[in-house]
Amino acid sequence: MKAAVCYEFRKPLVVEEVAIDSPKKGEVKVRVAATAICHSDIHALIGELGPNLPLVAGHESAGYVEEVGENVTSVKPGDPVVVSLLISCGHCLQCVSGRPHMCEAKWPVESHLKNAKGQALGTMARVGSFAEYVIVDESQVVVVPKDMPIDRAALLACGVITGFGAVVNRARVGPLSSVVVMGVGGVGINAIQGAAYSGARPVIAVDTLDSKLDIAKSFGATHGVNAKDPDAIKKVQQLTSGRGADYVFVTVGVTAAIEQGLAMAGPRSMTVIVGLAGEKLTCMPMSFIRSEKILTGSFMGTTRLSMDVPKLVALYKSGGLKLDELITKRYPLGQINEAIESTIKGEALRNIIVF
């Protein structure tokens, strides 16, 4: 099969023939039909997440079950499935407490892929979907209806559940709450959808590009504020009766954005870190004591795959969730470097590789 392999950070991926194993006990082999370019992939490909090379990135995907290993019962060959990085044992404290996204099990690191030289290839987030096939744990896949467009289903593996879930599952935003979403990218736009779905108002999009603020309004934002505006914090306060927002979701991986988001948050508010920021955050404890603000995080939208993905599919099919509009352009695997470069430049909400 073909895969796009990273042999050197910050260099173009090499599309080449690689060998893949058969699924072992509890594993599923999936023929990838579509995989999105997520900013987490880019973080990995430039070395910010610390994976060993060579590496096959990609983790936001969907496809069709090709083969199943021993003891797999939830899927069968031919099933259309969403493939996620979320993996769960079903037995640890977090899993039995309804938090499988925080599974405590220790999963062995092993490779199912080898290049023509026999060299083992790592896979990002135990997926590695910049390839024609992947082998994942049974817990990482969830069946979707056969009439669900498979490229739109791929978006449910990461970007949608991370943004939408941060609002609906983690923060549990209520009607008429004021919400700020910082960063109008593939995750932020779905946080905006989640806020609109929850009945929040106002829903304020914050980004450095005015063009993205316009896009945000088509997904449910009521207002837009440019983060570079010297009066950005003041404008958010004016839109929230002078208090600041009830909820702030920081979906960009920049520490300065978290600091700005905290300043936009009002008393007894919740600021949720969603983006992968790699620098230390500096803040004054007294500001939390006097205002009783909460600063927290959200991992993968606090998602329970087997429950949340079917709900989102139903919401999409009823017209309550925009997925078609998230896809900027589709590319074949041979043009993956072009798709990645477009994403780095901020030209896309989601570029999709289709097979």
Side-chain angles (χ1 to χ4, degrees):
M1 71 165 191
K2 290 187 180 298
V5 184
C6 178
Y7 284 100
E8 188 176 352
F9 293 132
R10 300 180 184 272
K11 296 295 183 180
L13 305 184
V14 178
V15 179
E16 62 183 5
E17 289 288 334
V18 304
I20 186 169
D21 296 334
S22 295
K24 299 176 183 177
K25 182 178 180 180
E27 294 180 336
V28 178
K29 181 178 181 180
V30 178
R31 174 171 59 85
V32 179
T35 188
I37 308 295
C38 174
H39 273 282
S40 295
D41 296 312
I42 294 169
H43 284 301
L45 295 174
I46 63 178
E48 291 184 350
L49 297 185
N52 295 323
L53 298 180
L55 171 76
V56 178
H59 63 283
E60 185 173 315
S61 53
Y64 300 91
V65 175
E66 181 82 4
E67 185 182 354
V68 299
E70 183 183 353
N71 289 356
V72 171
T73 59
S74 64
V75 295
K76 63 183 184 303
D79 282 345
V81 292
V82 166
V83 183
S84 171
L85 62 85
L86 290 174
I87 185 170
S88 56
C89 68
H91 306 295
C92 69
L93 176 62
Q94 298 293 352
C95 284
V96 299
S97 299
R99 297 183 291 270
H101 69 293
M102 299 181 70
C103 177
E104 297 175 334
K106 304 299 181 183
W107 299 89
V109 177
E110 56 182 337
S111 174
H112 295 285
L113 306 176
K114 291 183 180 179
N115 62 15
K117 297 179 180 180
Q119 186 178 18
L121 305 176
T123 54
M124 179 183 174
R126 300 181 184 278
V127 181
S129 57
F130 289 172
E132 293 178 325
Y133 293 89
V134 297
I135 292 180
V136 295
D137 186 78
E138 180 181 10
S139 65
Q140 292 178 256
V141 300
V142 56
V143 177
V144 295
K146 292 183 178 180
D147 62 350
M148 177 67 185
I150 203 69
D151 55 350
R152 272 133 288 186
L155 302 176
L156 301 178
C158 180
V160 174
I161 60 176
T162 299
F164 195 94
V167 176
V168 176
N169 298 334
R170 181 67 182 94
R172 298 186 178 182
V173 170
L176 300 183
S177 299
S178 55
V179 169
V180 165
V181 176
M182 305 195 67
V184 184
V187 173
I189 205 72
N190 289 296
I192 290 169
Q193 291 209 81
Y197 170 81
S198 300
R201 192 171 184 88
V203 178
I204 306 166
V206 177
D207 201 281
T208 58
L209 298 175
D210 288 335
S211 59
K212 287 195 171 184
L213 298 179
D214 292 335
I215 293 172
K217 291 178 181 178
S218 68
F219 283 86
T222 60
H223 301 82
V225 172
N226 194 304
K228 292 182 178 180
D229 188 329
D231 293 324
I233 295 170
K234 183 178 179 180
K235 288 183 177 181
V236 168
Q237 290 172 339
Q238 291 172 340
L239 291 169
T240 55
S241 303
R243 293 188 299 272
D246 298 320
Y247 297 91
V248 176
F249 298 89
V250 186
T251 69
V252 290
V254 180
T255 300
I258 302 172
E259 294 170 349
Q260 188 181 41
L262 282 168
M264 292 177 173
R268 282 187 154 258
S269 61
M270 177 184 287
T271 298
V272 184
I273 301 173
V274 183
L276 301 178
E279 298 177 347
K280 288 185 178 180
L281 176 66
T282 301
C283 52
M284 295 299 292
M286 184 61 72
S287 65
F288 291 92
I289 295 170
R290 294 184 64 86
S291 65
E292 296 193 353
K293 290 182 179 181
I294 296 171
L295 176 63
T296 188
S298 175
F299 174 61
M300 291 295 291
T302 315
T303 298
R304 294 169 295 177
L305 277 181
S306 61
M307 295 181 64
D308 291 338
V309 168
K311 289 179 180 179
L312 290 170
V313 169
L315 189 60
Y316 165 72
K317 294 174 74 173
S318 69
L321 179 69
K322 293 185 176 182
L323 296 180
D324 303 56
E325 297 85 351
L326 291 174
I327 299 176
T328 304
K329 190 173 180 180
R330 296 168 176 83
Y331 297 80
L333 183 62
Q335 294 179 11
I336 190 169
N337 290 307
E338 181 182 336
I340 291 172
E341 185 63 26
S342 169
T343 302
I344 292 174
K345 291 179 179 178
E347 298 173 346
L349 288 176
R350 273 297 188 264
N351 283 328
I352 299 282
I353 305 300
V354 292
F355 295 83

